Amino acid sequence: MSRKIAIIGMGHVGSTAAHYIVANGFADDLVLIDTNTSKVEADALDFQDAMPNLPYHTNIIINDYSSLIDADVIISAIGNIKLQDSPTNDRFLELPFTSTQVKDVAAKIKASGFNGILVVITNPVDVITSIYQAVTGLPKNHVIGTGTLLDSARMKRAVASALHLDSRSVAGYNLGEHGNSQFTAWSTVRVLGQPITKLAADRGLDLTKLDAESRDGGFRVFHGKKYTSYGVATAAVRLANTVLNDALTELPVSNFREEYGVYLSYPAVVGRDGIVEQVQLDLTDEELKKLQVSADYIKTKYAESQTD
């Protein structure tokens, strides 16, 4: 059975994700969709020029919504990153633009007959994931936001750097909104087989500073080059591959949690059927309060997006 991925939105993130997929042969068929026809045609030709020097072949299809009917995964990378160029470091500055664009795209996805898994990068991702689910009518477990999969990676990088380790030696999660109300759930973080709280005491780590570094890392990248690309594209492609391979992997992604009544980031087992199982963490009282604050914030912003 062939593997088919679609990417909607071929800006910095979408084109980076597409290159990652093509260079590694992750899909047999790759659909690229963008309102800028010249850009998407150029990207397709560029990828085809790369293939003679790659060990893989990928069939490239452009700007054809009807081809989504048998896609396994769609990655939504729609956005206008320039709207985030503000000292407030607020991803919700994109919402007036992305909410309008996404409603139109979601209607086209629905009309195509697509019934696979929708992976959402588009910011503000938790609210946008909710909009996609509502408009497409796809099952809630089939619409997944990348959420804090990237923020958790940033936390691992920050902790590992402080301890002079490889970031893959750190386990744990950032939870809640992919935005300013997120937090590192330090009760979940383990390094070298030990709770981070013990290591912090032994080695003098400032967990408050590390939490801020993981939360603000994306804006450091943005202010340096005026966009982000590699980290979030890698997270999205990892999520897509987890679906394609039915890998049944526990990941901190934006998924609908009934107890909060909203999409937010919380670990879930991801496989071919999307969110296969939701994890229940043993969080501290303080962490539970922070998660509720984040959930309430996302709900408020989602409600606002429905009245615009």
Side-chain angles (χ1 to χ4, degrees):
M1 184 174 71
S2 65
R3 303 157 299 162
K4 190 173 190 178
I5 299 175
I7 298 175
I8 302 179
M10 286 296 290
H12 294 297
V13 177
S15 57
T16 301
H19 179 255
Y20 188 22
I21 290 166
V22 170
N24 289 279
F26 291 145
D28 301 298
D29 302 306
L30 180 62
V31 183
L32 306 177
I33 294 176
D34 196 278
T35 55
N36 186 337
T37 302
S38 296
K39 169 67 163 61
V40 75
E41 287 178 348
D43 278 332
L45 183 59
D46 213 2
F47 289 139
Q48 289 162 350
D49 287 345
M51 283 182 207
N53 291 315
L54 291 173
Y56 310 103
H57 175 82
T58 306
N59 299 309
I60 306 290
I61 303 152
I62 60 170
N63 280 355
D64 181 7
Y65 274 95
S66 67
S67 67
L68 301 181
I69 188 169
D70 60 347
D72 299 293
V73 179
I74 294 174
I75 297 174
S76 168
I78 299 165
N80 185 348
I81 193 67
K82 293 179 181 178
L83 296 175
Q84 289 188 31
D85 196 359
S86 161
T88 61
N89 289 345
D90 185 359
R91 292 177 175 88
F92 278 94
L93 292 173
E94 281 197 77
L95 183 58
F97 173 83
T98 54
S99 61
T100 300
Q101 297 294 312
V102 160
K103 288 170 186 174
D104 178 63
V105 168
K108 291 177 180 176
I109 291 172
K110 182 177 182 178
S112 76
F114 172 74
N115 65 353
I117 307 301
L118 179 54
V119 170
V120 182
I121 302 173
T122 300
N123 277 319
V125 72
D126 305 287
V127 169
I128 294 298
T129 304
S130 298
I131 294 172
Y132 263 122
Q133 192 280 320
V135 178
T136 62
L138 290 167
K140 288 184 173 70
N141 67 308
H142 285 186
V143 185
I144 311 171
T146 48
T148 59
L149 183 58
L150 174 55
D151 304 293
S152 297
R154 287 173 174 148
M155 175 272 292
K156 293 173 184 178
R157 182 261 304 158
V159 170
S161 178
L163 293 172
H164 306 291
L165 293 170
D166 185 284
S167 55
R168 290 167 295 184
S169 298
V170 182
Y173 303 116
N174 278 36
L175 302 178
E177 177 206 359
H178 174 57
N180 294 335
S181 70
Q182 70 169 270
F183 63 98
T184 303
W186 292 116
S187 67
T188 69
V189 180
R190 299 285 185 277
V191 186
L192 304 177
Q194 298 183 58
I196 189 64
T197 47
K198 183 179 185 304
L199 275 175
D202 293 344
R203 303 197 186 188
L205 297 181
D206 185 340
L207 296 186
T208 300
K209 181 179 178 181
L210 291 173
D211 175 66
E213 188 171 344
S214 62
R215 183 174 55 254
D216 299 337
F219 294 109
R220 287 176 57 197
V221 174
F222 172 78
H223 290 302
K225 62 181 189 178
K226 297 304 179 183
Y227 62 91
T228 63
S229 53
Y230 304 126
V232 67
T234 301
V237 174
R238 182 189 182 191
L239 184 49
N241 280 336
T242 301
V243 171
L244 284 175
N245 298 328
D246 196 24
L248 301 177
T249 304
E250 182 181 327
L251 298 172
V253 292
S254 188
N255 60 113
F256 190 84
R257 299 288 303 202
E258 290 287 351
E259 68 268 42
Y260 294 103
V262 72
Y263 273 90
L264 53 73
S265 282
Y266 200 105
V269 178
V270 179
R272 190 81 186 183
D273 196 36
I275 301 297
V276 176
E277 182 179 351
Q278 293 184 312
V279 175
Q280 192 62 50
L281 298 172
D282 186 17
L283 299 175
T284 67
D285 289 344
E286 181 184 4
E287 289 167 347
L288 288 169
K289 289 177 183 177
K290 289 180 179 180
L291 191 57
Q292 186 65 62
V293 167
S294 196
D296 291 343
Y297 184 69
I298 295 166
K299 276 196 276 192
T300 298
K301 289 298 186 178
Y302 176 70
E304 290 175 3
S305 76
Q306 300 308 293
T307 59
D308 291 342

